Amino acid sequence: MKNLFIKNFGCQMNLYDAGRITDLLAKSHGLTLVSTPEAADLIVFNTCHIREKAEEKLFSELGRMRKLVQQRAQGDDGDVVFAVGGCVGQAEGMEIFRRAPFVDVVFGPQNYHELPQMLDRLAQRQQKICATSTHATDKFDHLPATGQSGPIAMVTIQEGCNRYCSYCVVPHTRGPEWSRPVADVLDEIAVCLSQGAVEIQLLGQNVTTYKAMDSDGTIHDLALLIRRVALLEGVRRIRFITSHPADMNDDLVELFAELPELCPYMHLPIQSGSDAILRAMERGHTVADYRQWAEKLRRVHPEMALASDFIVAFPGETEQDFQATLALIEELRFDHAYSFLFSSRPGTKAASMVPAVPLAVGQQRLADLQDTLNRIQLENNRQQVGKREEILVEKQSRTGQGLLSGRTRGNRWVNIPGPREWIGRLLEVEIVEGFPNSLKGCVLPERVV
Ligand code: SAH
Ligand code: SF4
Ligand code: F3S
């Protein structure tokens, strides 16, 4: 076995896990990452269970993979080993073998550190393996130091979630909440920084409840952890995602004024602008609570960019509830938002809640909501014109035309003309045009790095 292909579905935490799986298998089995499944001896699908669509996508992709696996079994290149990991692996377990019999290994997000042993066992016994326990504490102790880091380093600081919002599978798939020890997190970040990272993204399903001990016994919450990260040599930008309105605190808000490294961007999902729906979602906060945090954040930093998530057509959502959500969007004028149609998930409380909103009504509401969000985003983006912003160049723009794309400190995408060598650099740009989802900029002569 020589080559590894990983297809990633889902959130940033899955993306982080895919990186760690790559590091792990490079060390244990000398595997090299390749960019197509055809070139691989081991294919890993790292999956997401958050909405039905994510799951459907997985099974249709698996359908397409069947042929490839069969061809390999008949050819001379040796069999390909197929593993399904991540949140669907956790939720569906053995069911995956039934729906896709060519899959050899199923594992959950808290078991991927056992992959080397699973592969060895598979080679010896040729027996399918399913590993889905949920004890996050083990995993990090068995992973090698992180591999090559780009300019942006994502670091998981917390696993799982205890909030049990009534619609959400995450507590079921990622297990109970657990924070990584401070020293672990700082060590990993130091490695990334030594490899050239300048932006650190601290990840967790609910980072606002981070609580862990340092080696000297001091308890760190998220604010203190961020202070420690900011002290590390080479850190230029810090972000953290995702936060929960019911777990916010003033110390964290104040930090935006205090630390220049902390980017003025807050992803703080509200989900709905109706208190009745927030109650049914068991979110643990009201619209008024959220409004207060939004105001505090914007007061503490004039450039604060506020982002949110919305779910429309939650069971029982009336036209009035929906209008309250639209009104809230008009009032708070979010800089960015993700929006989803409610998806009924097995094992969650909301799956048995009634009355369901008819699909056509839900789809219309989602379209209206997205129109409102986009219009406001466009207005906000147009207001950026003429501003000077620092961007971190990440990649060539998807639009082609020789443009590069990078993000501002407020997490807005900016496209600029420039050579590929600028990828990975911090540049100072002037914003010249605003669109619904991006900005256009030009580089100022005095570049930052
Ligand atoms: N931990 C984060 C995000 C979790 S999932 C948080 O609490 O904010 C990302 C987003 O997916 C959620 O914010 C929510 O808007 C959406 N989502 C989660 N479950 C969903 C479901 N069953 N149907 C539709 N959207 C859902
Ligand atoms: Fe899911 Fe709620 Fe936990 Fe976010 S806070 S992961 S929405 S249960
Ligand atoms: Fe999806 Fe699991 Fe992330 S369900 S959103 S991959 S935590």
Side-chain angles (χ1 to χ4, degrees):
M1 206 188 273
K2 276 197 337 246
N3 293 336
L4 163 71
F5 172 79
I6 302 191
K7 185 170 172 67
N8 213 52
F9 302 77
C11 63
Q12 308 291 87
M13 300 192 68
N14 260 17
L15 205 58
Y16 170 83
D17 291 342
R20 300 309 303 268
I21 290 171
T22 310
D23 297 340
L24 179 67
L25 295 177
K27 189 167 174 233
S28 69
H29 286 69
L31 296 188
T32 309
L33 197 63
V34 291
S35 57
T36 62
E38 288 77 15
D41 308 299
L42 169 63
I43 298 176
V44 176
F45 273 16
N46 199 27
T47 62
C48 174
H49 201 236
I50 199 83
R51 283 168 291 274
E52 203 176 346
K53 263 204 184 135
E55 202 180 342
E56 278 166 6
K57 201 169 136 205
L58 165 70
F59 284 106
S60 79
E61 294 266 342
L62 279 179
R64 246 178 290 164
M65 286 289 133
R66 194 179 49 211
K67 234 199 219 135
L68 174 75
V69 176
Q70 280 169 351
Q71 276 167 359
R72 281 288 290 267
Q74 288 154 6
D76 307 326
D77 294 338
D79 286 353
V80 59
V81 172
F82 209 107
V84 173
C87 292
V88 184
Q90 184 66 39
E92 303 264 328
M94 308 280 271
E95 174 67 12
I96 294 178
F97 296 135
R98 200 186 60 76
R99 290 186 65 176
F102 62 87
V103 172
D104 304 296
V105 179
V106 169
F107 62 96
Q110 310 310 354
N111 293 87
Y112 63 78
H113 60 290
E114 297 161 12
L115 263 173
Q117 292 77 10
M118 290 187 231
L119 293 179
D120 291 345
R121 247 172 44 219
L122 184 74
Q124 282 159 11
R125 298 201 214 139
Q126 295 297 319
Q127 213 174 39
K128 291 185 188 298
I129 297 170
C130 178
T132 51
S133 77
T134 52
H135 300 288
T137 32
D138 273 17
K139 173 169 78 180
F140 293 100
D141 294 339
H142 294 90
L143 296 171
T146 176
Q148 204 60 32
S149 170
I152 298 178
M154 295 186 296
V155 178
T156 291
I157 62 167
Q158 189 185 47
E159 276 287 346
C161 184
N162 290 349
R163 278 228 153 255
Y164 285 92
C165 302
S166 63
Y167 51 82
C168 184
V169 291
V170 171
H172 309 270
T173 61
R174 288 216 165 234
E177 189 180 290
W178 178 79
S179 297
R180 269 180 93 182
V182 177
D184 250 32
V185 171
L186 295 178
D187 286 351
E188 188 168 317
I189 295 174
V191 172
C192 298
L193 291 168
S194 72
Q195 293 171 348
V198 286
E199 176 171 320
I200 307 297
Q201 297 183 354
L202 306 174
L203 306 180
Q205 286 298 345
N206 180 8
V207 287
T208 19
T209 55
Y210 179 85
K211 198 176 216 129
M213 225 185 254
D214 197 1
S215 341
D216 66 0
T218 338
I219 301 283
H220 284 50
D221 62 1
L222 179 64
L224 187 52
L225 181 73
I226 293 171
R227 282 197 180 93
R228 296 286 302 278
V229 174
L231 290 174
L232 297 174
E233 181 75 32
V235 176
R236 300 290 296 269
R237 292 176 161 201
I238 303 171
R239 297 187 199 283
F240 55 92
I241 40 178
T242 304
S243 308
H244 196 292
D247 298 308
M248 287 289 288
N249 62 70
D250 287 320
D251 201 20
L252 188 63
V253 176
E254 296 297 329
L255 220 53
F256 285 100
E258 182 188 316
L259 290 180
E261 294 85 2
L262 186 59
C263 291
Y265 168 78
M266 187 79 183
H267 186 189
L268 191 62
I270 184 165
Q271 315 295 358
S272 167
S274 151
D275 279 335
I277 296 297
L278 289 180
R279 255 195 315 278
M281 288 177 166
E282 299 187 27
R283 288 285 292 174
H285 64 85
T286 61
V287 174
D289 296 333
Y290 188 92
R291 187 180 284 122
Q292 217 178 35
W293 289 118
E295 281 165 6
K296 280 185 179 174
L297 284 160
R298 284 182 164 153
R299 209 177 310 137
V300 85
H301 198 299
E303 296 294 325
M304 180 63 63
L306 187 63
S308 185
D309 293 354
F310 293 93
I311 298 177
V312 300
F314 187 83
E317 185 188 72
T318 61
E319 185 56 31
Q320 207 182 354
D321 293 321
F322 177 63
Q323 289 302 328
T325 302
L326 289 185
L328 181 89
I329 293 171
E330 296 285 357
E331 177 194 334
L332 291 183
R333 300 183 63 80
F334 294 93
D335 296 280
H336 186 254
Y338 297 99
S339 47
F340 312 98
L341 194 58
F342 169 74
S343 172
S344 172
R345 307 308 288 133
T348 63
K349 275 197 197 170
S352 52
M353 287 183 186
V354 285
V357 175
L359 183 62
V361 175
Q363 283 169 336
Q364 186 57 52
R365 285 185 189 166
L366 184 64
D368 291 349
L369 181 106
Q370 288 176 342
D371 281 349
T372 307
L373 287 167
N374 286 341
R375 173 174 48 77
I376 291 171
Q377 238 169 259
L378 176 64
E379 286 164 11
N380 283 344
N381 280 348
R382 283 190 174 147
Q383 278 172 10
Q384 304 296 311
V385 173
K387 282 192 184 162
R388 283 180 169 214
E389 289 279 354
E390 175 203 89
I391 66 164
L392 175 55
V393 184
E394 285 181 38
K395 55 185 185 189
Q396 285 187 296
S397 157
R398 260 188 277 155
T399 58
Q401 305 162 0
L403 294 176
L404 301 172
S405 301
R407 273 184 278 195
T408 65
R409 296 172 60 77
N411 219 22
R412 293 186 167 89
W413 281 104
V414 183
N415 292 318
I416 55 158
R420 284 189 63 154
E421 297 75 66
W422 286 0
I423 293 174
R425 289 200 199 167
L426 288 162
L427 304 175
E428 183 132 358
V429 300
E430 185 174 318
I431 307 302
V432 293
E433 215 175 332
F435 306 104
N437 291 305
S438 66
L439 304 167
K440 194 172 169 198
C442 63
V443 180
L444 294 169
E446 66 274 28
R447 277 187 261 123
V448 179
V449 167

